[in-house]
Amino acid sequence: MVLPKLLDIFLTGNNIISYNGCMTQVFLFVMLMVTEYLILAAMAYDRYVAICLPLRYSHFMSLQVCFRMSLISWSIGILDAILYSILISSCRFCGSNKVDHLFCDMKPLMMLSCSDTRTIEMVILGPSAVIGFVPSLLTLVSYTCIILSILKIHSKEARLKTFSTCSSHLTVILLFYGTVLGMYMRPKSSYSMDQDKVFAILYAGVIPMLNPLIYSLKNQEVKNALRRIRKQIFR
């Protein structure tokens, strides 16, 4: 919903969006962002079990466990999106209707509102802090255990091979978590709309474009193709 509208704006110059379309953007953006945040944390746990507890992997990461983790991630994402959408739609907009952002996000919409948004900001801050802290802590603990386990391996080749199994996921986590936390967890005193626009471009456009490339770098055919391209460039 975000990228198609951005492409429409770039191609046609039509930067008008309806109120219902704006609320739909808020709902889908929050739902997908929260869900991806939680799924990346679940994937970090998966890498921890695969590297630190390989003999018990089938027990800890059975099909039922994976389904439940996915279901919980999507459920929290949907519930969080419903909460935020209800709070934003309860605001009154009686002044300017120009959203100074790349899409309908919560912060610029609350800045446009002529209602007192302090209560809404406090209600949003609670779930956001929990959803931001818990998965980040789980990911940090998982990768701390992974790194400690890798350092115990005596063979250098074995260490590199083990680390390569989670390097792609770790790269995506650093990009995604860094962008989201930088966008929503900054103190209000340092809030800048220009910075938010940069973070929005990274999150909505650049990172999704890089994900397939990052995850496919372990594929031997992709590596060979990149080597051929590199040789052609240097020639």
Side-chain angles (χ1 to χ4, degrees):
M1 187 65 181
V2 173
L3 278 182
K5 183 57 182 176
L6 282 178
L7 291 174
D8 178 58
I9 292 173
F10 292 147
L11 293 174
T12 66
N14 178 25
N15 58 357
I16 298 175
I17 185 170
S18 65
Y19 177 81
N20 290 334
C22 193
M23 291 300 108
T24 302
Q25 274 195 347
V26 172
F27 177 84
L28 293 177
F29 179 77
V30 173
M31 180 187 70
L32 295 176
M33 180 183 65
V34 172
T35 301
E36 186 173 359
Y37 205 94
L38 296 172
I39 287 179
L40 285 175
M43 291 173 66
Y45 173 73
D46 172 78
R47 294 297 86 203
Y48 159 74
V49 175
I51 294 174
C52 301
L53 304 170
L55 299 179
R56 306 186 66 183
Y57 181 82
S58 59
H59 172 71
F60 284 111
M61 294 302 297
S62 64
L63 184 61
Q64 288 183 342
V65 173
C66 293
F67 175 77
R68 289 171 184 170
M69 293 172 70
S70 177
L71 181 62
I72 290 172
S73 299
W74 279 101
S75 299
I76 294 176
I78 292 172
L79 291 175
D80 216 37
I82 292 174
L83 172 63
Y84 289 178
S85 299
I86 292 174
L87 291 174
I88 294 299
S89 61
S90 66
C91 295
R92 291 185 296 109
F93 299 96
C94 49
S96 172
N97 60 355
K98 182 180 179 180
V99 181
D100 186 20
H101 203 46
L102 301 177
F103 59 92
C104 292
D105 198 8
M106 293 175 291
K107 285 184 178 179
L109 287 177
M110 284 191 290
M111 291 177 63
L112 285 179
S113 174
C114 52
S115 306
D116 186 359
T117 60
R118 287 176 294 181
T119 302
I120 296 176
E121 290 175 2
M122 291 300 298
V123 173
I124 289 176
L125 182 62
S128 298
V130 173
I131 292 173
F133 176 75
V134 174
S136 300
L137 179 62
L138 176 61
T139 302
L140 178 62
V141 171
S142 297
Y143 272 100
T144 301
C145 295
I146 288 172
I147 293 172
L148 292 176
S149 179
I150 292 175
L151 292 176
K152 294 178 182 178
I153 300 174
H154 298 291
S155 171
K156 182 179 179 180
E157 292 182 359
R159 285 201 301 268
L160 291 175
K161 185 177 180 180
T162 304
F163 183 74
S164 68
T165 62
C166 56
S167 58
S168 299
H169 178 247
L170 182 59
T171 303
V172 172
I173 279 180
L174 292 175
L175 288 172
F176 183 81
Y177 279 22
T179 303
V180 173
L181 292 176
M183 189 171 179
Y184 291 104
M185 293 297 152
R186 298 199 316 274
K188 194 172 183 179
S189 57
S190 63
Y191 178 73
S192 169
M193 187 63 70
D194 292 334
Q195 290 181 358
D196 270 16
K197 290 177 182 178
V198 174
F199 284 127
I201 284 292
L202 289 174
Y203 169 79
V206 177
I207 294 178
M209 182 179 64
L210 291 178
N211 281 350
L213 177 62
I214 293 172
Y215 280 117
S216 63
L217 284 177
K218 293 188 295 181
N219 187 293
Q220 192 60 40
E221 294 181 0
V222 174
K223 289 181 179 179
N224 293 336
L226 290 175
R227 290 193 188 100
R228 289 195 297 269
I229 293 173
R230 184 180 61 184
K231 289 179 180 179
Q232 293 176 0
I233 291 174
F234 282 108
R235 284 176 184 174

